[in-house]
Amino acid sequence: MPTPYGSRGGMAFGAQELRVLRRALAHALHPSTVRALDDQAVQDCVRLADDIDEAVREGARLRAFLVADLARYRAALPGTAAGYLELLEDVLATGYRPGADDLAALRALRGNPHAAALLDRCRTLAEQGVRARLAAATEATATAAAATANGWAETAALAPRPTIPPSRTRLLALPGGLTAADEKKPAPRPDPPAEPPAAPQERPRPVPTPAEVFPPKRPAPPAAPSQRLAAG
């Protein structure tokens, strides 16, 4: 079974695995001149492909372990400067992109020539990573916009268009309808609205006389007989 070799993505193969790999490559590169693979050779190629996939997964686990170990060394700086710089160089070889913590740690150690060289290298890698992410985001946005525009165009192309009716012959005037002379005549003006009838004028009220304003006082009625006896 092939095994990961080192931290740089290498892979070690055995003698039997190399023979299977060599035969598979020869058949892929020169299919017309190489004898067809038999069932046993096909099974060996499938088994080798599975082993390579497992080795790739093992290499990914190894790189994850190195990154975690690098974080522990970085947290223990400056006492672990030598181990951190060596481990950082190994991790960079596996495709690791330095982050802001790595750049800050290297700035703190830039008095060391090895750290200064790694700082320049990490700055370049960080800038390349930022440009790659921006390019990927721009490409994704352009692809989405193009897909949306194509979708709108296809929808507009597939949508049914209103049909224009053919030119019609001139319509003839029907009995009782309007003629050209009637259309040219101005429309009669409507009659002005009738004025409402005038309200009847109220007669002036007569001026009251002094007797009506100040009526004379009437004498009090005579008292009853029982009231007279009580008084006597």
Side-chain angles (χ1 to χ4, degrees):
M1 176 179 176
T3 55
Y5 181 76
S7 60
R8 300 176 184 270
M11 193 171 295
F13 291 89
Q16 179 63 25
E17 295 165 350
L18 286 177
R19 282 194 294 270
V20 175
L21 183 60
R22 188 182 299 112
R23 187 174 181 182
L25 289 176
H27 181 74
L29 295 175
H30 307 285
S32 59
T33 59
V34 180
R35 187 178 58 184
L37 299 177
D38 53 6
D39 294 342
Q40 184 62 35
V42 172
Q43 292 179 4
D44 292 340
C45 290
V46 173
R47 190 179 303 108
L48 179 60
D50 294 339
D51 293 341
I52 291 176
D53 292 341
E54 181 61 27
V56 170
R57 288 190 290 269
E58 182 64 24
R61 289 191 291 268
L62 178 59
R63 284 192 296 273
F65 174 78
L66 290 177
V67 172
D69 203 14
L70 179 68
R72 288 192 291 270
Y73 272 81
R74 185 175 58 242
L77 288 174
T80 57
Y84 171 74
L85 296 176
E86 183 178 357
L87 187 59
L88 178 59
E89 193 170 5
D90 293 340
V91 175
L92 291 176
T94 64
Y96 172 76
R97 295 292 182 180
D101 295 337
D102 296 312
L103 295 176
L106 291 175
R107 290 192 193 96
L109 299 174
R110 60 175 172 263
N112 188 332
H114 191 190
L118 281 177
L119 178 59
D120 295 338
R121 181 180 176 185
C122 288
R123 282 176 176 171
T124 303
L125 292 175
E127 292 176 359
Q128 292 176 357
V130 171
R131 292 194 185 96
R133 288 193 295 271
L134 290 177
T138 304
E139 183 178 359
T141 304
T143 303
T148 303
N150 292 336
W152 281 109
E154 293 177 359
T155 304
L158 296 176
R161 297 182 179 179
T163 57
I164 301 175
S167 58
R168 300 173 181 175
T169 58
R170 187 175 182 181
L171 297 178
L172 300 178
L174 297 177
L178 295 176
T179 61
D182 296 337
E183 292 179 356
K184 293 180 180 180
K185 292 180 180 180
R189 295 182 180 180
D191 296 335
E195 297 181 358
Q201 298 181 356
E202 296 182 357
R203 296 180 179 181
R205 297 178 62 182
V207 179
T209 60
E212 292 178 352
V213 176
F214 304 102
K217 294 183 180 182
R218 296 180 181 180
S226 57
Q227 293 181 356
R228 291 178 181 177
L229 293 176

